[in-house]
Amino acid sequence: KEYLGVKHLLFCNNGTIVLQMALRAYDITGEVITTPFSYVATTNAILWERCTPVFVDIDPETFCIDADKIEGAITDKTQAILATHVYGYPCNVKKIESIAKANDLKVIYDGAHAFGCRYQYKSLLSYGDISTCSFHATKLFHTVEGGCVITNDDAIAEKLMLYRQFGH
Ligand SMILES: *Cc1c(COP(=O)(O)O)cnc(C)c1O
């Protein structure tokens, strides 16, 4: 937490379950705008939570979701944006934040590639309502297997902690 400059960080089994926990914590049940260019776990997490992935094309410069195309994919069923910071390149976090505010959407970042990456002097993992990371052996920083979920919201952190610990 100190290294990343974030309020709440919970270690979990891997970088997939934390995406599922994030969707669950915000009671997301409808459409989730996401990227077609990520590891398959990003889309799988949406499907495991019985939500509907809606793909928005990527930006050719960063390989991240093209924020300029997000608004065109919003419907009355859209509840969240789940975007990946591909290879640690930041998504257009400012634009995504303003779209989310204007349309009452939650923002979840799949930061599996983003441990230690910074954007505007802050950890990339400090952006969004929730960010996740993977510590799988293939990632920048790893514990062979592992992951974490990050939020600055106390109530959401409490929910995530209860999910992780069988309600204790
Ligand atoms: C590796 C990866 C995951 C899944 O992480 P695991 O720890 O293997 O479950 C999720 N999203 C992205 C973008 C990844 O690269």
Side-chain angles (χ1 to χ4, degrees):
K1 284 191 278 193
E2 197 182 311
Y3 174 73
L4 297 171
V6 294
K7 192 161 181 201
H8 301 286
L9 182 155
L10 299 171
F11 288 116
C12 297
N13 306 52
N14 58 52
T16 305
I17 195 72
V18 283
L19 292 169
Q20 293 182 234
M21 288 162 66
L23 292 165
R24 190 67 68 96
Y26 282 115
D27 295 314
I28 307 295
T29 53
E31 292 178 6
V32 178
I33 292 178
T34 191
T35 173
F37 190 73
S38 182
Y39 184 59
V40 66
T42 315
T43 304
N44 273 355
I46 296 170
L47 294 173
W48 272 111
E49 293 307 312
R50 300 192 192 281
C51 299
T52 306
V54 174
F55 294 113
V56 164
D57 206 355
I58 58 171
D59 176 325
E61 295 291 318
T62 64
F63 306 125
C64 297
I65 195 166
D66 185 343
D68 293 333
K69 295 189 175 141
I70 290 176
E71 271 170 318
I74 295 174
T75 72
D76 57 2
K77 296 198 184 85
T78 310
Q79 292 182 312
I81 299 168
L82 171 46
T84 301
H85 301 300
V86 178
Y87 310 141
Y89 290 113
C91 291
N92 189 341
V93 291
K94 298 288 170 197
K95 171 119 199 196
I96 291 172
E97 189 180 324
S98 74
I99 294 169
K101 275 216 176 94
N103 294 279
D104 194 23
L105 306 176
K106 295 300 173 195
V107 179
I108 300 164
Y109 284 116
D110 182 337
H113 311 167
F115 189 85
C117 297
R118 296 172 82 78
Y119 178 69
Q120 293 191 341
Y121 307 104
K122 280 180 20 181
S123 165
L124 199 44
L125 298 173
S126 64
Y127 292 89
D129 292 295
I130 294 183
S131 284
T132 65
C133 195
S134 166
F135 302 128
H136 185 259
T138 54
K139 314 300 182 188
L140 284 176
F141 168 80
H142 80 92
T143 58
V144 188
E145 289 276 10
C148 73
V149 58
I150 289 165
T151 183
N152 291 317
D153 182 321
D154 296 342
I156 288 296
E158 175 81 14
K159 265 185 158 183
L160 293 166
M161 197 169 65
L162 291 170
Y163 295 164
R164 186 184 67 168
Q165 288 163 199
F166 304 94
H168 297 302

